Amino acid sequence: FWLKCVVAQIWVSTCGHHRSITRVVRNWGAHPQEGEVGPPSTMEERMSQLVGGEASGGEGKGFKGLKGKGFMKGKGKGDFMKGKSKGDGDMAAAALAKGKGKMKGEEQMMTMQAPAQQQVVYQRQSRNAGIHTIEIYVPQFWFEQTEMEEYDARPDRYGPSVIGKYTKGIGQIQARFNTDDEDPVSFCMTVVHRLLERIEEKGFNETGRYQPDGNALGIYHAVGRIDVGTESIVDRSKSMKSYVMDIFERYGDGESNIEGVDQYNACYGGQAAGLAVLSWVESDRWDGRYGIAVASDIAEAHPFFIAFVGAATTASLFFPDAPLAHHSQRATCIMHRLDFCKPVGWHDMAPVTDGKYSVECYLDALDACYKTLRKKVNDRELFQLTDYNVFHTGGGYHIVKKAFERMLRNERPECRGSERDELTAVRLHPSCHILKRVGPCHTVSSFLNTASVAMSQMQEALGKVIMVFTYGSGCAASMYQLRVDDIAYFDPLEVWFLKRFYRNSIKMYPGDAHPIHMVFVETWMKFEYKPFGRQTHGQDLNLLEDDVYYLGEIDKFGRRFYHRGGLKARPLDKKYELPADTAEGRPTRKHWGPLPEAKKAIEDVSKSDEARRRQIEYDMTFDHEAEEGNFVEIGEFNDTYQKEQKVRILKPLPDRKQHGTTIEPDGQSHSYQIVGTWSSRTPVDMEQTSDVSWYFDFTLGENRWEEFYLLQDGDPQRRIYPHEAKGSKESVAVGPHDAGPSNHWFIDCRDRVDVPEEQLGMPGDRYRITFRWKKLKEVSWQKLEGEKGEVEPSRYSVAGSWTDFELQELRPETGRRRGWHSTEVQMTSLGLEFRIVRNEDFGQSIYPIPAKKEERSCGKNAAVCGPDALASTYWKVDGILGGIYKLKFYRDPEDCESTGMRVDWTKVDDRPVVEVEPTYYLVGPFNEWGQKDMRKMRHPPNDLSLFEGEVEVKEMVDEKATEKRKFMMPFKIVQHKMPTRCVHPDKDRCSQLTDHKVVMDDKGKDLSWYIGLHPTDKAKEGDVFTVKLQIAPSGEMSVSWSKS
């Protein structure tokens, strides 16, 4: 045994694993008796690949092994694992072997060479696969079982005999249930999205260990398989897993390469999903990504059986080197039984069941799995091999306890009284903490109970084994073992109860519980349905959880539509919208009514609204760069514990200047201007009504929305703006200030769920904006009822590739109905890519929605979006060089929605190609790599082959250098503002002295020049360098720079 441990340690160190030796040895399972066939060990499978070098050896008996008298056994002298050796075993680890085993004669067996470098190979790399964490979701509503007993003890229900039945009899403490705005599908979407966000937040994404470049995959691309297990399907064809994929498609840029569908079976579907995902992770088709097994079910209950309700969902994360590794053998029992079923077309959501017979089938399956597993482990007692027991929860804790006691009688029939109670407390009770507070939840229960063990025991469970028995009526059951190799990614149970389980929960009195739950039960076979349970039963919609998916509608075809945050949440951000939303006519949040009126939260009396507003303004105006000037650097030192890390020590100056103070009225006379979309963002004076009040009236344009900010004394450096993007009346006014974000107040007068009724308006309606500054700054607006104004005609331009995306006017067409605009352009080598801009304002861009998110350009049939500031795509004309194309744009003057717009083009002529003179632009951190603007390079007089531009050096963090902070500035060059024509070096971090080539293509994302990287640049803070791009007659390019 100890020799085996030594070789195991060699194996561990060679593989690069850092788990304990106990983990490796226990993974081999029970030692087979001499003469018996046991499972092949990891050592036997991998020895030839993982162990290298020569080790001196001598005489000895070696290891016991498979058949025969010994594994690697011999009496010959020589080097261990090498040379000539004699032995009676069936394998002699030698290059030449003689003996009575299966391999006789001088046959070459295996050559052991230490690999020069361990390479990442996907196939067959998975070891100790199992569960890394389990995300749990339970609905908000719950009740106390003691109160339920009192309620059911009334004469009109069960009477006094029910007292103690649910608590002492069944063993339950509480129960969880839902209403009609949640179902098993919404449960699945919630638990998977929460799991992904927790991985991201806690930083335990380990996919980089199995990627060739060592970098972890983005979380929405880090999952390779998802299986959903349930007995509560909502569609006989469309899988619940496909609903979950909506998350990856929206947030993962169209990610769809994720295997798996649904596993459907009463109470066992979740376990089937778990075993399917485990098999994938252990297979040679595993690709280095996570597997997720989702179990989702609702144990619905009619009014007279509400005590037996339960609902939960789990998402179990499978990956190699798991804290909860699947261990040793497992057993399964599947038989044809009719104890429980839900026939197609059955009139009720509830099952057809024989309760007593179902318990008998449960215990029969337990006996069958127990006998099979004992046989597989050489008839050893399972209590000797395991430390904790997890059982499927049928009707409650009493079923679990009954199963445990039955197994205990099989193992130790003499066990009685206090000894039995002690074993129950130590081995069973750790698995029951959650189920007692949730109730029966079908296919979820085994994962829920496993999580209970992990969270309640934490480090106490290290090195121990959990035996899990899971069962589903009909019937199907499995028994397997989990080895606790590490502390899994869980919060301790008490912390989880506070953070997740009870934090947003809603306690219900039993008399109120069954009516609101019954609304869900009655959704069975419903079509053209919108949930109403919470509203009807007086539940505040503001209590909906922000990160939970809720059912929004079931349409006339039975299709279901969900929204994260439910009716409490605003519509989904446009960047997450999918082409399929429009193509399939999916109803969304805007179709389900207005946002609920927010109730004012009870704020801390120690912090008034004025103090809160002042704090926000302080934070918004705090100048971090200027604040650095208040400190002097003492020096840079090595960190005490991490020697490779440098620490800068700063000392505050005695005459330290304050930054970020709240701007107060200065008592001087000032004028105020308003900069809004109605005037193409040109400042217009506001009218003064008193010393502290100003106003401005405007006419609503055809967008039916406007945005604005304010200026003091017409000075662009003295902006007044809201603390948040698209500010409302409640937003905090910040300023006058010369920095900060480019926020605007947003007046939306369209028919939207978050727009108040009194704010709705049509083009031509008049509105008044009022600014007051007495003590705190206030900005508000109101509709001037009955007043009308003349709508200023919109002007439209096209921003296209042939003009470096500068604006070219679209002229209104005569002879056609009002709303058509057009222009003619020629096809050149630059192509024809364009978008439409309203009133020369790029914040009002009109652009196409691509069929796939990764696409940058679209044809004329793409859906139209805008006007807004979110444009990132273009229309693209496919044609021949020299062709003249007429670009046409139509907007219905009576329709503010994007559905009232159309873009089209036709070829009208052919002419000789007139190519555009090349232009070049500098991009870098100084303009967010071209996102803000692009810095155009100019010709010096009389030299058309040279382009020049200026770049200013700043102090920046250099993660790849020993000295982390340097005065430098990276940059690259773009031709015609087109990312596909990026001028860059063929190496990253190039200085002028680096040997490199200058190329122009679309592969320069991570390749830049760095001014100040080389000491010869002598760069300092604020230095301005002139960058020169020289183009030879042959087309060869060179880039250089010097101080201006």
Side-chain angles (χ1 to χ4, degrees):
F1 174 80
W2 290 113
L3 285 172
K4 201 167 193 177
C5 289
V6 171
V7 180
Q9 185 63 58
I10 298 172
W11 178 76
V12 172
S13 61
T14 308
C15 289
H17 288 290
H18 303 289
R19 303 287 187 185
S20 67
I21 189 67
T22 306
R23 172 184 207 157
V24 181
V25 174
R26 295 190 74 159
N27 191 40
W28 293 339
H31 294 289
Q33 301 298 316
E34 188 167 339
E36 294 179 342
V37 178
S41 69
T42 305
M43 180 66 78
E44 294 164 11
E45 294 175 352
R46 300 290 288 168
M47 183 70 75
S48 63
Q49 300 176 32
L50 298 177
V51 180
E54 297 182 5
S56 60
E59 296 186 6
K61 295 184 177 179
F63 300 151
K64 283 189 176 182
L66 305 177
K67 293 184 178 180
K69 296 183 179 180
F71 169 60
M72 296 184 183
K73 185 175 180 181
K75 296 181 179 180
K77 294 184 178 181
D79 291 333
F80 179 53
M81 305 277 201
K82 193 171 183 181
K84 296 183 178 180
S85 177
K86 296 180 180 180
D88 294 329
D90 61 334
M91 292 181 70
L96 298 175
K98 294 181 180 180
K100 298 180 181 179
K102 289 184 179 179
M103 296 186 66
K104 297 182 179 181
E106 297 186 358
E107 296 180 294
Q108 183 171 352
M109 213 180 127
M110 55 184 170
T111 303
M112 298 188 173
Q113 296 179 350
Q117 182 179 358
Q118 187 174 353
Q119 297 182 349
V120 176
V121 181
Y122 292 149
Q123 283 77 13
R124 305 183 188 279
Q125 284 292 309
S126 175
R127 287 293 183 270
N128 298 310
I131 298 172
H132 280 244
T133 190
I134 300 175
E135 184 70 26
I136 302 171
Y137 171 71
V138 293
Q140 291 175 288
F141 298 110
W142 63 282
F143 57 79
E144 293 280 0
Q145 289 288 8
T146 53
E147 295 179 357
M148 181 58 69
E149 287 177 341
E150 295 173 0
Y151 177 73
D152 278 351
R154 299 185 324 183
D156 60 324
R157 291 183 68 81
Y158 293 115
S161 62
V162 81
I163 296 295
K165 180 178 180 180
Y166 307 147
T167 52
K168 293 182 180 179
I170 298 177
Q172 294 300 114
I173 300 173
Q174 298 161 358
R176 288 285 175 140
F177 63 95
N178 60 299
T179 187
D180 61 339
D181 57 4
E182 291 186 274
D183 61 19
V185 175
S186 69
F187 279 15
C188 290
M189 298 177 72
T190 296
V191 77
V192 170
H193 209 156
R194 277 187 173 184
L195 173 61
L196 297 175
E197 289 180 337
R198 181 155 69 94
I199 295 172
E200 193 79 39
E201 177 187 353
K202 301 298 183 182
F204 59 89
N205 183 348
E206 299 182 27
T207 53
R209 293 168 47 205
Y210 293 93
Q211 301 306 312
D213 58 4
N215 296 323
L217 298 170
I219 194 57
Y220 294 104
H221 305 285
V223 179
R225 185 179 180 105
I226 298 177
D227 283 69
V228 175
T230 186
E231 69 171 63
S232 307
I233 60 172
V234 298
D235 191 296
R236 289 184 293 127
S237 176
K238 180 176 172 60
S239 69
M240 291 165 62
K241 186 270 182 77
S242 64
Y243 283 96
V244 175
M245 289 303 300
D246 186 75
I247 299 169
F248 295 88
E249 189 175 2
R250 290 186 191 279
Y251 298 93
D253 296 325
E255 177 63 66
S256 61
N257 180 27
I258 300 177
E259 294 184 11
V261 282
D262 291 358
Q263 307 281 347
Y264 180 59
N265 194 92
C267 295
Y268 188 79
Q271 192 56 65
L275 296 178
V277 173
L278 174 69
S279 297
W280 175 75
V281 174
E282 292 178 331
S283 74
D284 59 1
R285 292 296 179 267
W286 177 64
D287 61 4
R289 295 186 290 169
Y290 283 113
I292 298 176
V294 181
S296 179
D297 263 322
I298 298 170
E300 71 289 330
H302 287 265
F304 271 86
F305 306 100
I306 190 68
F308 305 100
V309 75
T313 304
T314 58
S316 303
L317 189 69
F318 285 82
F319 205 63
D321 293 319
L324 300 176
H326 270 255
H327 167 70
S328 188
Q329 305 293 329
R330 72 170 178 250
T332 292
C333 170
I334 299 180
M335 300 182 290
H336 174 46
R337 296 292 182 268
L338 296 173
D339 60 317
F340 179 107
C341 55
K342 293 182 176 180
V344 173
W346 185 242
H347 63 85
D348 200 338
M349 186 181 289
V352 180
T353 182
D354 181 339
K356 184 178 180 180
Y357 178 52
S358 187
V359 173
E360 292 177 4
C361 293
Y362 178 105
L363 297 176
D364 288 345
L366 172 64
D367 291 341
C369 288
Y370 169 79
K371 291 176 182 177
T372 302
L373 189 58
R374 276 203 61 155
K375 184 177 180 180
K376 286 188 174 184
V377 296
N378 300 320
D379 204 34
R380 296 180 65 187
E381 284 190 9
L382 298 184
F383 272 30
Q384 290 183 355
L385 303 178
T386 59
D387 304 281
Y388 300 105
N389 292 89
V390 166
F391 291 92
H392 168 72
T393 306
Y397 167 73
H398 69 301
I399 299 295
V400 169
K401 186 179 179 183
K402 183 177 291 189
F404 177 77
E405 291 175 349
R406 187 181 185 101
M407 183 173 168
L408 182 59
R409 285 195 298 272
N410 288 334
E411 289 269 298
R412 303 175 185 176
E414 74 286 351
C415 185
R416 295 285 190 276
S418 60
E419 183 184 359
R420 182 189 64 188
D421 294 341
E422 183 181 353
L423 284 172
T424 303
V426 172
R427 299 178 65 96
L428 180 66
H429 285 175
S431 70
C432 303
H433 298 297
I434 303 176
L435 82 85
K436 288 187 173 186
R437 290 167 173 81
V438 172
C441 44
H442 300 325
T443 192
V444 186
S445 63
S446 61
F447 295 103
L448 205 65
N449 297 346
T450 300
S452 177
V453 175
M455 288 194 283
S456 64
Q457 300 303 295
M458 299 301 283
Q459 69 275 10
E460 298 297 326
L462 287 174
K464 297 182 179 179
V465 175
I466 306 169
M467 189 179 71
V468 181
F469 172 72
T470 183
Y471 171 83
S473 294
C475 68
S478 287
M479 184 178 287
Y480 58 90
Q481 301 169 69
L482 297 173
R483 190 182 62 248
V484 185
D485 287 344
D486 204 342
I487 298 177
Y489 296 106
F490 290 104
D491 285 322
L493 187 64
E494 295 80 3
V495 175
W496 179 79
F497 275 144
L498 290 174
K499 284 174 59 177
R500 279 294 190 189
F501 194 75
Y502 289 114
R503 185 172 185 176
N504 296 317
S505 64
I506 301 173
K507 183 180 178 182
M508 301 291 288
Y509 177 68
D512 299 323
H514 73 75
I516 196 171
H517 178 64
M518 195 61 191
V519 180
F520 164 72
V521 176
E522 291 173 349
T523 61
W524 183 248
M525 303 295 288
K526 286 289 177 69
F527 294 82
E528 292 190 275
Y529 180 85
K530 291 182 180 178
F532 60 86
R534 291 182 190 254
Q535 299 93 314
T536 302
H537 294 280
Q539 292 297 314
D540 183 6
L541 294 180
N542 288 293
L543 296 180
L544 293 169
E545 296 184 88
D546 296 331
D547 61 350
V548 171
Y549 283 86
Y550 295 95
L551 177 67
E553 178 182 347
I554 305 174
D555 70 4
K556 63 182 179 181
F557 302 109
R559 302 182 304 172
R560 296 178 178 237
F561 305 94
Y562 302 86
H563 187 66
R564 200 179 197 199
L567 297 182
K568 173 187 175 182
R570 295 175 180 271
L572 196 67
D573 193 306
K574 282 190 175 181
K575 65 182 179 181
Y576 298 126
E577 292 180 354
L578 299 174
D581 295 338
T582 303
E584 296 179 357
R586 299 178 183 177
T588 59
R589 175 62 189 86
K590 65 183 180 182
H591 297 94
W592 301 327
L595 289 172
E597 183 178 349
K599 293 185 178 180
K600 290 188 176 180
I602 301 175
E603 295 190 14
D604 186 351
V605 294
S606 64
K607 192 168 187 178
S608 65
D609 183 65
E610 178 180 343
R612 182 185 67 84
R613 287 174 171 268
R614 289 182 183 278
Q615 183 63 47
I616 290 174
E617 185 170 17
Y618 177 89
D619 294 339
M620 294 287 291
T621 59
F622 190 88
D623 191 340
H624 293 273
E625 292 187 5
E627 177 68 2
E628 289 188 5
N630 285 325
F631 296 85
V632 60
E633 183 174 340
I634 296 176
E636 192 172 64
F637 307 91
N638 289 326
D639 184 82
T640 304
Y641 300 101
Q642 299 182 14
K643 300 298 184 182
E644 71 282 358
Q645 181 174 332
K646 298 285 186 179
V647 179
R648 295 174 70 209
I649 306 298
L650 304 176
K651 179 182 178 181
L653 297 172
D655 56 344
R656 179 181 177 186
K657 297 178 181 179
Q658 294 296 320
H659 299 283
T661 55
T662 305
I663 295 104
E664 302 285 352
D666 57 11
Q668 304 297 316
S669 177
H670 294 284
S671 66
Y672 291 91
Q673 293 73 37
I674 189 165
V675 182
T677 48
W678 49 79
S679 61
S680 298
R681 304 188 192 271
T682 301
V684 181
D685 284 323
M686 301 184 74
E687 297 289 335
Q688 186 170 1
T689 57
S690 69
D691 291 342
V692 296
S693 182
W694 293 260
Y695 77 90
F696 175 78
D697 294 344
F698 70 91
T699 301
L700 186 64
E702 65 180 352
N703 284 346
R704 292 179 63 193
W705 61 261
E706 308 287 352
E707 60 183 21
F708 68 94
Y709 63 91
L710 307 179
L711 298 178
Q712 186 183 67
D713 299 329
D715 185 355
Q717 303 300 314
R718 300 186 64 78
R719 288 189 308 117
I720 300 174
Y721 56 90
H723 79 283
E724 56 188 345
K726 291 191 173 183
S728 66
K729 298 176 185 179
E730 287 74 32
S731 300
V732 176
V734 178
H737 188 224
D738 62 349
S742 301
N743 292 343
H744 305 80
W745 279 280
F746 188 74
I747 306 177
D748 195 349
C749 306
R750 298 169 294 179
D751 189 6
R752 297 290 190 270
V753 295
D754 52 350
V755 176
E757 187 73 25
E758 65 273 11
Q759 190 170 300
L760 297 178
M762 296 297 293
D765 288 342
R766 298 280 289 171
Y767 290 78
R768 172 167 294 181
I769 298 171
T770 303
F771 170 61
R772 297 183 182 89
W773 192 0
K774 186 175 183 180
K775 192 174 183 181
L776 296 174
K777 294 178 283 291
E778 299 177 16
V779 174
S780 61
W781 53 84
Q782 64 184 48
K783 185 178 180 181
L784 300 174
E785 295 295 342
E787 293 193 21
K788 292 287 184 180
E790 185 176 349
V791 179
E792 186 73 21
S794 296
R795 294 170 286 109
Y796 292 96
S797 308
V798 59
S801 55
W802 60 93
T803 61
D804 290 359
F805 301 98
E806 298 296 327
L807 297 179
Q808 178 178 329
E809 183 182 4
L810 287 169
R811 298 183 179 277
E813 288 197 343
T814 57
R816 301 187 70 174
R817 64 175 177 173
R818 189 165 64 93
W820 280 100
H821 302 73
S822 66
T823 190
E824 292 185 0
V825 296
Q826 184 179 45
M827 175 72 75
T828 67
S829 61
L830 297 178
L832 296 180
E833 291 188 347
F834 67 94
R835 63 172 69 117
I836 310 297
V837 176
R838 178 178 180 264
N839 289 349
E840 300 179 355
D841 178 5
F842 282 95
Q844 299 186 64
S845 294
I846 299 167
Y847 52 95
I849 302 176
K852 296 181 180 179
K853 278 193 173 183
E854 63 272 14
E855 293 178 346
R856 180 175 180 267
S857 56
C858 306
K860 63 175 71 175
N861 294 324
V864 181
C865 193
D868 57 41
L870 302 177
S872 61
T873 56
Y874 300 89
W875 281 283
K876 182 178 181 180
V877 179
D878 291 323
I880 59 173
L881 291 177
I884 305 297
Y885 292 86
K886 186 174 185 179
L887 308 182
K888 295 173 283 187
F889 170 70
Y890 172 73
R891 185 174 191 182
D892 187 345
E894 307 298 327
D895 188 354
C896 71
E897 304 294 346
S898 58
T899 52
M901 292 183 280
R902 179 184 171 191
V903 172
D904 197 5
W905 56 82
T906 55
K907 184 179 177 184
V908 296
D909 199 2
D910 281 302
R911 299 174 192 168
V913 179
V914 179
E915 293 288 355
V916 180
E917 287 292 326
T919 54
Y920 295 90
Y921 298 83
L922 288 167
V923 296
F926 45 83
N927 58 9
E928 296 183 7
W929 298 98
Q931 294 299 314
K932 280 191 173 180
D933 57 28
M934 290 197 183
R935 194 171 295 179
K936 190 172 184 178
M937 304 179 74
R938 307 289 180 182
H939 286 297
N942 304 320
D943 190 352
L944 299 180
S945 65
L946 180 64
F947 295 83
E948 296 180 340
E950 294 184 338
V951 173
E952 184 179 354
V953 169
K954 299 283 186 182
E955 186 178 24
M956 302 178 66
V957 176
D958 186 358
E959 296 292 346
K960 297 185 179 180
T962 305
E963 298 177 2
K964 294 296 184 185
R965 301 181 70 87
K966 283 188 175 183
F967 298 109
M968 62 183 186
M969 184 59 66
F971 73 92
K972 60 187 72 169
I973 300 170
V974 176
Q975 187 189 66
H976 292 298
K977 296 184 180 179
M978 300 176 69
T980 55
R981 299 191 179 197
C982 178
V983 179
H984 61 88
D986 62 349
K987 300 181 179 68
D988 190 24
R989 300 170 60 82
C990 268
S991 70
Q992 295 186 89
L993 301 181
T994 304
D995 183 21
H996 69 279
K997 295 180 180 179
V998 179
V999 294
M1000 183 170 70
D1001 55 29
D1002 60 351
K1003 298 178 176 59
K1005 180 181 178 182
D1006 300 318
L1007 303 172
S1008 303
W1009 287 283
Y1010 274 70
I1011 299 174
L1013 189 63
H1014 199 277
T1016 56
D1017 289 339
K1018 298 180 180 179
K1020 296 180 180 179
E1021 176 76 19
D1023 284 351
V1024 177
F1025 283 75
T1026 299
V1027 176
K1028 299 179 180 180
L1029 171 64
Q1030 186 74 52
I1031 304 176
S1034 63
E1036 186 177 350
M1037 298 179 175
S1038 62
V1039 173
S1040 61
W1041 55 83
S1042 60
K1043 278 190 182 182
S1044 301

